[in-house]
């Protein structure tokens, strides 16, 4: 799937994401400007992606032979979220490589149609023992689980998980 433009990302709806994790914002998520601090968005991206990996890809962080390393993140911010909102964090896969995956992760505010932020989040799966990607790429169960989130070349979004 080709990368999207900022205007395409700004048009996203929660239905564009097959996996959605709810997050009840906390008082301390807000910063002095009375909105959720930018660092919390990365926390949400990481939490939603790893929840999916554990629930649907057989990843067990303390002892899986392969584990993900974050290689890149970027975020387009369109509007703020603030306590006491409930954030809905959507996850889909934009690109699936041999040992890497590019997720598109979005933050919505429950009850509001417009997306608040859309991020690109890249994981490289490495062997626990070596810290390097396996010569054959990621484990088959990881790949199968991630394929369930992969947006097709025609832009069709997979079914909700």
């Amino acid at each position: 799937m080709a990368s999207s433009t900022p205007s395409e990302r700004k048009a996203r709806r929660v239905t564009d994401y097959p996996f959605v994790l709810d997050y009840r914002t906390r008082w301390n998520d807000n910063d002095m400007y009375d909105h959720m601090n930018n660092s919390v968005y990365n926390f949400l991206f990481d939490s939603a992606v790893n929840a999916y990996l554990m629930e649907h890809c057989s990843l067990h962080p303390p002892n899986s032979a392969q584990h993900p390393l974050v290689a890149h993140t970027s975020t387009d911010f369109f509007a703020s979220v603030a306590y006491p909102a409930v954030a809905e964090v959507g996850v889909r896969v934009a690109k699936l490589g041999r040992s890497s995956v590019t997720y598109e992760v979005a933050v919505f505010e429950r009850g509001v149609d417009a997306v608040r932020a859309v991020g690109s989040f890249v994981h490289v799966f490495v062997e626990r023992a070596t810290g390097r990607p396996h010569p054959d790429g990621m484990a088959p169960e990881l790949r199968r689980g991630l394929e369930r989130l992969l947006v097709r070349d025609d832009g069709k979004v997979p079914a909700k998980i």
Side-chain angles (χ1 to χ4, degrees), residues 1 3-4 19 26 30 60 62 100 105 110 125 132 146:
M1 159 123 210
S3 62
S4 56
F19 180 76
R26 305 166 304 164
N30 283 11
H60 186 251
S100 66
V105 188
R110 183 181 290 160
F125 289 92
R132 304 288 303 156
L146 291 169

Side-chain angles (χ1 to χ4, degrees), residues 102-146:
T102 302
Y103 308 94
E104 184 181 289
V105 188
V107 175
F108 297 87
E109 184 175 331
R110 183 181 290 160
V112 178
D113 288 335
V115 68
R116 299 309 201 196
V118 177
S120 175
F121 192 84
V122 179
H123 267 159
V124 175
F125 289 92
V126 299
E127 293 291 301
R128 184 173 300 278
T130 65
R132 304 288 303 156
H134 189 279
D136 295 329
M138 68 182 73
E141 60 271 18
L142 280 170
R143 179 168 295 285
R144 281 192 299 274
L146 291 169

